[in-house]
Short mmCIF file of all heavy atoms in Angstrom, two decimals:
data_model
loop_
_atom_site.label_atom_id
_atom_site.label_comp_id
_atom_site.label_asym_id
_atom_site.label_seq_id
_atom_site.Cartn_x
_atom_site.Cartn_y
_atom_site.Cartn_z
N ALA A 10 77.50 -14.82 133.36
CA ALA A 10 76.08 -14.57 133.12
C ALA A 10 75.83 -14.38 131.63
O ALA A 10 76.73 -13.98 130.89
CB ALA A 10 75.60 -13.33 133.89
N ALA A 11 74.60 -14.64 131.20
CA ALA A 11 74.22 -14.45 129.80
C ALA A 11 72.81 -13.89 129.73
O ALA A 11 71.98 -14.13 130.61
CB ALA A 11 74.30 -15.77 129.03
N ILE A 12 72.53 -13.16 128.65
CA ILE A 12 71.22 -12.57 128.44
C ILE A 12 70.90 -12.60 126.95
O ILE A 12 71.75 -12.32 126.12
CB ILE A 12 71.18 -11.13 129.00
CG1 ILE A 12 69.77 -10.54 128.90
CG2 ILE A 12 72.20 -10.24 128.30
CD1 ILE A 12 69.62 -9.23 129.67
N SER A 13 69.66 -12.97 126.61
CA SER A 13 69.24 -12.98 125.22
C SER A 13 69.08 -11.56 124.70
O SER A 13 69.08 -10.59 125.47
CB SER A 13 67.94 -13.75 125.07
OG SER A 13 66.89 -13.14 125.81
N TRP A 14 68.93 -11.42 123.39
CA TRP A 14 68.87 -10.08 122.81
C TRP A 14 67.68 -9.28 123.33
O TRP A 14 67.76 -8.05 123.45
CB TRP A 14 68.84 -10.17 121.28
CG TRP A 14 67.54 -10.69 120.71
CD1 TRP A 14 67.22 -11.98 120.44
CD2 TRP A 14 66.39 -9.90 120.36
NE1 TRP A 14 65.95 -12.07 119.94
CE2 TRP A 14 65.42 -10.80 119.87
CE3 TRP A 14 66.10 -8.54 120.40
CZ2 TRP A 14 64.16 -10.38 119.44
CZ3 TRP A 14 64.84 -8.12 119.96
CH2 TRP A 14 63.90 -9.03 119.49
N SER A 15 66.58 -9.96 123.63
CA SER A 15 65.39 -9.28 124.13
C SER A 15 65.41 -9.07 125.65
O SER A 15 64.60 -8.31 126.17
CB SER A 15 64.14 -10.07 123.77
OG SER A 15 64.08 -11.29 124.48
N GLY A 16 66.32 -9.76 126.33
CA GLY A 16 66.35 -9.71 127.78
C GLY A 16 65.39 -10.68 128.45
O GLY A 16 65.32 -10.71 129.69
N ALA A 17 64.66 -11.48 127.67
CA ALA A 17 63.68 -12.40 128.23
C ALA A 17 64.32 -13.61 128.89
O ALA A 17 63.70 -14.24 129.75
CB ALA A 17 62.71 -12.85 127.14
N ASN A 18 65.52 -13.97 128.48
CA ASN A 18 66.21 -15.14 129.01
C ASN A 18 67.52 -14.73 129.65
O ASN A 18 68.33 -14.03 129.03
CB ASN A 18 66.47 -16.17 127.91
CG ASN A 18 65.20 -16.67 127.26
OD1 ASN A 18 64.87 -16.29 126.13
ND2 ASN A 18 64.48 -17.52 127.98
N ILE A 19 67.73 -15.17 130.89
CA ILE A 19 68.91 -14.83 131.66
C ILE A 19 69.39 -16.05 132.43
O ILE A 19 68.57 -16.83 132.94
CB ILE A 19 68.62 -13.67 132.64
CG1 ILE A 19 68.29 -12.38 131.88
CG2 ILE A 19 69.80 -13.44 133.58
CD1 ILE A 19 67.86 -11.24 132.77
N HIS A 20 70.70 -16.23 132.52
CA HIS A 20 71.26 -17.35 133.26
C HIS A 20 72.55 -16.90 133.95
O HIS A 20 73.32 -16.14 133.38
CB HIS A 20 71.55 -18.53 132.33
CG HIS A 20 72.06 -19.74 133.03
ND1 HIS A 20 71.28 -20.47 133.90
CD2 HIS A 20 73.29 -20.34 133.03
CE1 HIS A 20 71.99 -21.47 134.38
NE2 HIS A 20 73.20 -21.41 133.86
N TYR A 21 72.76 -17.39 135.19
CA TYR A 21 73.93 -17.03 135.98
C TYR A 21 74.71 -18.27 136.40
O TYR A 21 74.14 -19.35 136.61
CB TYR A 21 73.54 -16.29 137.25
CG TYR A 21 72.84 -14.97 137.03
CD1 TYR A 21 71.45 -14.88 137.07
CD2 TYR A 21 73.58 -13.82 136.81
CE1 TYR A 21 70.82 -13.67 136.87
CE2 TYR A 21 72.94 -12.60 136.62
CZ TYR A 21 71.56 -12.53 136.66
OH TYR A 21 70.93 -11.32 136.47
N ALA A 22 76.01 -18.10 136.55
CA ALA A 22 76.81 -19.13 137.20
C ALA A 22 76.44 -19.20 138.67
O ALA A 22 76.10 -18.19 139.30
CB ALA A 22 78.30 -18.82 137.04
N ASP A 23 76.52 -20.40 139.25
CA ASP A 23 76.17 -20.57 140.65
C ASP A 23 77.02 -19.70 141.57
O ASP A 23 76.55 -19.25 142.62
CB ASP A 23 76.31 -22.03 141.06
CG ASP A 23 75.24 -22.92 140.46
OD1 ASP A 23 74.19 -22.39 140.03
OD2 ASP A 23 75.45 -24.14 140.41
N SER A 24 78.25 -19.44 141.19
CA SER A 24 79.16 -18.69 142.03
C SER A 24 78.76 -17.23 142.22
O SER A 24 79.20 -16.59 143.17
CB SER A 24 80.59 -18.76 141.47
OG SER A 24 80.63 -18.21 140.16
N VAL A 25 77.93 -16.70 141.31
CA VAL A 25 77.54 -15.29 141.40
C VAL A 25 76.04 -15.10 141.55
O VAL A 25 75.58 -13.96 141.73
CB VAL A 25 78.04 -14.49 140.18
CG1 VAL A 25 79.54 -14.65 140.01
CG2 VAL A 25 77.31 -14.94 138.91
N LYS A 26 75.27 -16.16 141.50
CA LYS A 26 73.81 -16.06 141.59
C LYS A 26 73.42 -15.41 142.92
O LYS A 26 73.91 -15.79 143.98
CB LYS A 26 73.18 -17.44 141.45
CG LYS A 26 71.66 -17.42 141.36
CD LYS A 26 71.11 -18.83 141.13
CE LYS A 26 71.56 -19.40 139.81
NZ LYS A 26 70.96 -20.75 139.55
N GLY A 27 72.53 -14.43 142.84
CA GLY A 27 72.10 -13.71 144.01
C GLY A 27 72.94 -12.50 144.33
O GLY A 27 72.54 -11.67 145.16
N ARG A 28 74.11 -12.37 143.70
CA ARG A 28 74.98 -11.22 143.93
C ARG A 28 75.14 -10.35 142.69
O ARG A 28 75.25 -9.13 142.81
CB ARG A 28 76.37 -11.69 144.38
CG ARG A 28 76.37 -12.46 145.69
CD ARG A 28 77.78 -12.70 146.19
NE ARG A 28 78.56 -13.52 145.26
CZ ARG A 28 79.71 -13.14 144.71
NH1 ARG A 28 80.23 -11.95 145.00
NH2 ARG A 28 80.36 -13.95 143.89
N PHE A 29 75.17 -10.96 141.51
CA PHE A 29 75.36 -10.24 140.26
C PHE A 29 74.05 -10.19 139.47
O PHE A 29 73.25 -11.12 139.53
CB PHE A 29 76.42 -10.91 139.38
CG PHE A 29 77.82 -10.85 139.92
CD1 PHE A 29 78.10 -10.39 141.19
CD2 PHE A 29 78.87 -11.26 139.11
CE1 PHE A 29 79.40 -10.34 141.68
CE2 PHE A 29 80.17 -11.21 139.57
CZ PHE A 29 80.44 -10.75 140.86
N THR A 30 73.86 -9.11 138.71
CA THR A 30 72.69 -8.96 137.87
C THR A 30 73.10 -8.47 136.48
O THR A 30 73.78 -7.45 136.36
CB THR A 30 71.69 -7.96 138.47
OG1 THR A 30 71.29 -8.39 139.77
CG2 THR A 30 70.45 -7.85 137.59
N ILE A 31 72.70 -9.21 135.45
CA ILE A 31 72.97 -8.80 134.08
C ILE A 31 71.72 -8.15 133.50
O ILE A 31 70.60 -8.56 133.79
CB ILE A 31 73.41 -10.00 133.21
CG1 ILE A 31 73.88 -9.53 131.83
CG2 ILE A 31 72.30 -11.03 133.09
CD1 ILE A 31 74.51 -10.65 130.99
N SER A 32 71.91 -7.11 132.71
CA SER A 32 70.80 -6.43 132.06
C SER A 32 71.30 -5.79 130.78
O SER A 32 72.50 -5.69 130.56
CB SER A 32 70.18 -5.38 132.99
OG SER A 32 71.12 -4.37 133.32
N ARG A 33 70.37 -5.35 129.95
CA ARG A 33 70.77 -4.65 128.73
C ARG A 33 69.76 -3.57 128.40
O ARG A 33 68.56 -3.70 128.68
CB ARG A 33 70.95 -5.62 127.56
CG ARG A 33 69.68 -6.28 127.05
CD ARG A 33 70.01 -7.40 126.05
NE ARG A 33 70.76 -6.92 124.90
CZ ARG A 33 71.37 -7.71 124.01
NH1 ARG A 33 71.32 -9.04 124.16
NH2 ARG A 33 72.02 -7.19 122.98
N ASP A 34 70.25 -2.51 127.80
CA ASP A 34 69.43 -1.40 127.35
C ASP A 34 69.75 -1.20 125.88
O ASP A 34 70.74 -0.56 125.52
CB ASP A 34 69.73 -0.14 128.15
CG ASP A 34 68.81 1.01 127.82
OD1 ASP A 34 68.17 0.98 126.74
OD2 ASP A 34 68.71 1.94 128.63
N ASN A 35 68.92 -1.78 125.02
CA ASN A 35 69.20 -1.74 123.58
C ASN A 35 69.11 -0.32 123.02
O ASN A 35 69.77 -0.01 122.02
CB ASN A 35 68.24 -2.66 122.84
CG ASN A 35 68.52 -4.12 123.09
OD1 ASN A 35 69.61 -4.49 123.53
ND2 ASN A 35 67.55 -4.98 122.83
N ALA A 36 68.31 0.53 123.64
CA ALA A 36 68.24 1.92 123.20
C ALA A 36 69.57 2.63 123.37
O ALA A 36 69.89 3.56 122.63
CB ALA A 36 67.15 2.66 123.94
N LYS A 37 70.37 2.19 124.35
CA LYS A 37 71.69 2.77 124.61
C LYS A 37 72.81 1.89 124.08
O LYS A 37 73.98 2.21 124.27
CB LYS A 37 71.88 3.01 126.10
CG LYS A 37 70.93 4.03 126.69
CD LYS A 37 71.21 4.26 128.17
CE LYS A 37 70.29 5.32 128.74
NZ LYS A 37 70.55 5.55 130.19
N ASN A 38 72.46 0.77 123.45
CA ASN A 38 73.46 -0.17 122.91
C ASN A 38 74.45 -0.61 123.99
O ASN A 38 75.66 -0.70 123.74
CB ASN A 38 74.20 0.46 121.73
CG ASN A 38 73.29 0.89 120.61
OD1 ASN A 38 72.32 0.21 120.30
ND2 ASN A 38 73.59 2.02 119.99
N THR A 39 73.93 -0.92 125.17
CA THR A 39 74.79 -1.20 126.31
C THR A 39 74.27 -2.40 127.11
O THR A 39 73.06 -2.54 127.32
CB THR A 39 74.89 0.02 127.24
OG1 THR A 39 75.39 1.13 126.49
CG2 THR A 39 75.84 -0.25 128.40
N VAL A 40 75.20 -3.24 127.56
CA VAL A 40 74.92 -4.35 128.46
C VAL A 40 75.61 -4.07 129.78
O VAL A 40 76.73 -3.55 129.80
CB VAL A 40 75.41 -5.68 127.86
CG1 VAL A 40 75.12 -6.84 128.81
CG2 VAL A 40 74.75 -5.93 126.51
N TYR A 41 74.96 -4.42 130.89
CA TYR A 41 75.48 -4.11 132.22
C TYR A 41 75.67 -5.38 133.04
O TYR A 41 74.99 -6.39 132.84
CB TYR A 41 74.53 -3.19 132.98
CG TYR A 41 74.23 -1.89 132.28
CD1 TYR A 41 73.07 -1.74 131.53
CD2 TYR A 41 75.10 -0.82 132.37
CE1 TYR A 41 72.77 -0.56 130.89
CE2 TYR A 41 74.81 0.38 131.73
CZ TYR A 41 73.65 0.51 131.00
OH TYR A 41 73.36 1.70 130.36
N LEU A 42 76.59 -5.29 133.98
CA LEU A 42 76.74 -6.31 135.01
C LEU A 42 76.87 -5.60 136.35
O LEU A 42 77.90 -5.01 136.64
CB LEU A 42 77.96 -7.20 134.76
CG LEU A 42 78.13 -8.36 135.74
CD1 LEU A 42 77.02 -9.40 135.53
CD2 LEU A 42 79.50 -9.01 135.59
N GLN A 43 75.80 -5.65 137.14
CA GLN A 43 75.82 -5.08 138.48
C GLN A 43 76.36 -6.13 139.44
O GLN A 43 75.81 -7.23 139.52
CB GLN A 43 74.41 -4.66 138.91
CG GLN A 43 74.33 -4.10 140.32
CD GLN A 43 75.06 -2.79 140.49
OE1 GLN A 43 74.93 -1.91 139.65
NE2 GLN A 43 75.85 -2.67 141.55
N MET A 44 77.42 -5.80 140.16
CA MET A 44 78.08 -6.74 141.05
C MET A 44 77.99 -6.22 142.47
O MET A 44 78.53 -5.15 142.79
CB MET A 44 79.55 -6.93 140.65
CG MET A 44 79.73 -7.36 139.20
SD MET A 44 81.46 -7.72 138.79
CE MET A 44 82.16 -6.08 138.99
N ASN A 45 77.31 -6.97 143.34
CA ASN A 45 77.15 -6.62 144.74
C ASN A 45 77.80 -7.67 145.62
O ASN A 45 78.07 -8.79 145.18
CB ASN A 45 75.67 -6.49 145.09
CG ASN A 45 74.95 -5.41 144.33
OD1 ASN A 45 75.53 -4.37 144.00
ND2 ASN A 45 73.68 -5.62 144.05
#
């Protein structure tokens, strides 16, 4: 998965689409990958 610096653009591999979620919190200087 990938995410732009603003979070406006996101893209996932087909193998994880619908199961994984990428996000970022710039205030915390942290990027996340939620895997379900």
Side-chain angles (χ1 to χ4, degrees):
I12 185 169
S13 62
W14 72 269
S15 68
N18 299 106
I19 295 174
H20 183 68
Y21 298 97
D23 289 340
S24 60
V25 305
K26 188 176 297 183
R28 299 189 297 123
F29 292 9
T30 302
I31 188 172
S32 62
R33 68 190 301 167
D34 186 341
N35 289 341
K37 296 182 178 180
N38 302 322
T39 302
V40 180
Y41 303 97
L42 184 69
Q43 178 66 45
M44 305 185 295
N45 298 327

